Amino acid sequence: MHPIDDSLIGKAVTTVTPNRRSATVSMRRAYEMAISTAEVVRDGFQYLEGIRWHDDELWFSDIPRGTVYRMGTDGELAVAATVHKHPSGLGFTSDGTALVVTQDDCCLRRITPSGDTEVVADMSELAFAANDMWVDPQGRAYVGQIGYDLFGGGEAKGSHLVVVDPDGTVRTAGKDLLCPNGVQLTSDGKTLVVAESFAQRLTAFDVDERGELSNQRVFAQFESSEEVVDGLCVDAEGAVWVACPFLGEVRRVIDGGEVTDRVRVATDGQLAIACALGGADRRTLYVIAADTTLERMSNDYEGTARVEAAAVRVPAA
């Protein structure tokens, strides 16, 4: 259990019942119960992304090592694919076909049974450093991107999501998104949530039956420059678990911005990169942690990474 910031607790209580000590104690206990620390499940990786739960296994990409892994609940590891073009975001079509985004060439690829990959769509004219992804039940892929040369010192600028339809058609959706990163649909398929990393913001869209996005709006806005947001997942209540790398934690956020739960990474000073809900009862929050910095990441993702896990109250969507 990590220490609690008493000043925050005091502020939260005084806005409701400033003169009741019992309320302060109750608030303190509730706040403490909302914070937990993950435990390491498996280490020995370099830099992981694209974490997804599928068919009773956890999938993730080791970007610099060019490997997509599958891992069982017992921690046993298998190689799902090898592709030396910086694999990142993962998703699955309704028939179980695995898809992976490759950053180097901004392509969407299909993973074959032999562990090779085949290009489904070239997104290079519409994306820069394509990254995370969510695939809907119709096989439509929503792909995030850094959008500018982050590691080369490029100027930050707004961009868009890239949408790849089942027939391979490539188009854009959304606008003025600052590094659209983690992405997922809610369980009813009617809302898409995107993490805008360097805007410290979660953005939501309405989704129609054709997969078109509209009504771009703020789901949650954080204020501090340290509150960068990265990979995310959605639970059965529509809340979003989002990784906050530089705070070393994953936050559960409800629409409007209230944070209800926090899970810290196992080791102080390490980054929380992405998360996924899985396990037998879908109440295990898997977290990717990394021992690195932005500067070291620019050197082909220099560092080490691990998969961690913590039990949570609400199951996956």
Side-chain angles (χ1 to χ4, degrees), residues 267-278:
T267 304
D268 287 342
Q270 296 193 2
L271 310 185
I273 303 300
C275 57
L277 286 164

Side-chain angles (χ1 to χ4, degrees), residues 73-287:
T73 54
D74 58 0
E76 286 298 309
L77 207 61
V79 173
T82 301
V83 50
H84 293 292
K85 292 185 177 294
H86 283 171
S88 185
L90 294 165
F92 304 89
T93 63
S94 58
D95 65 1
T97 299
L99 303 176
V100 60
V101 172
T102 43
Q103 290 186 342
D104 283 1
D105 54 6
C106 282
C107 282
L108 178 64
R109 295 168 177 268
R110 178 187 301 108
I111 295 177
T112 69
S114 65
D116 296 320
T117 64
E118 301 170 345
V119 174
V120 174
D122 184 340
M123 303 176 290
S124 59
E125 292 188 2
L126 298 176
F128 186 95
N131 192 27
D132 211 346
M133 171 175 64
W134 185 259
V135 179
D136 72 11
Q138 288 72 45
R140 186 180 296 111
Y142 297 91
V143 182
Q145 56 164 322
I146 293 176
Y148 63 97
D149 190 6
L150 169 65
F151 299 132
E155 182 179 354
K157 59 181 180 179
S159 190
H160 47 253
L161 292 171
V162 177
V163 183
V164 181
D165 290 316
D167 63 1
T169 302
V170 181
R171 55 190 171 88
T172 66
K175 61 181 181 178
D176 300 324
L177 300 171
L178 190 55
C179 190
N181 202 331
V183 56
Q184 186 171 333
L185 284 166
T186 53
S187 58
D188 61 8
K190 295 182 179 179
T191 304
L192 186 80
V193 182
V194 180
E196 292 187 64
S197 289
F198 298 110
Q200 297 85 41
R201 177 168 60 226
L202 300 179
T203 295
F205 297 87
D206 293 340
V207 186
D208 67 16
E209 63 277 1
R210 302 185 307 277
E212 300 287 345
L213 304 186
S214 62
N215 189 25
Q216 182 173 333
R217 60 195 184 276
V218 174
F219 184 96
Q221 178 69 64
F222 301 118
E223 301 303 327
S224 168
S225 60
E226 293 185 347
E227 294 177 293
V228 170
V229 288
D230 203 325
L232 60 79
C233 60
V234 180
D235 70 22
E237 294 181 355
V240 175
W241 283 98
V242 61
C244 298
F246 304 124
L247 297 177
E249 68 180 27
V250 184
R251 295 175 172 181
R252 184 178 185 268
V253 188
I254 59 176
D255 196 353
E258 180 185 349
V259 178
T260 67
D261 302 83
R262 286 178 166 92
V263 173
R264 301 284 303 173
V265 297
T267 304
D268 287 342
Q270 296 193 2
L271 310 185
I273 303 300
C275 57
L277 286 164
D281 59 1
R282 307 301 294 277
R283 285 183 169 88
T284 298
L285 182 71
Y286 290 99
V287 180

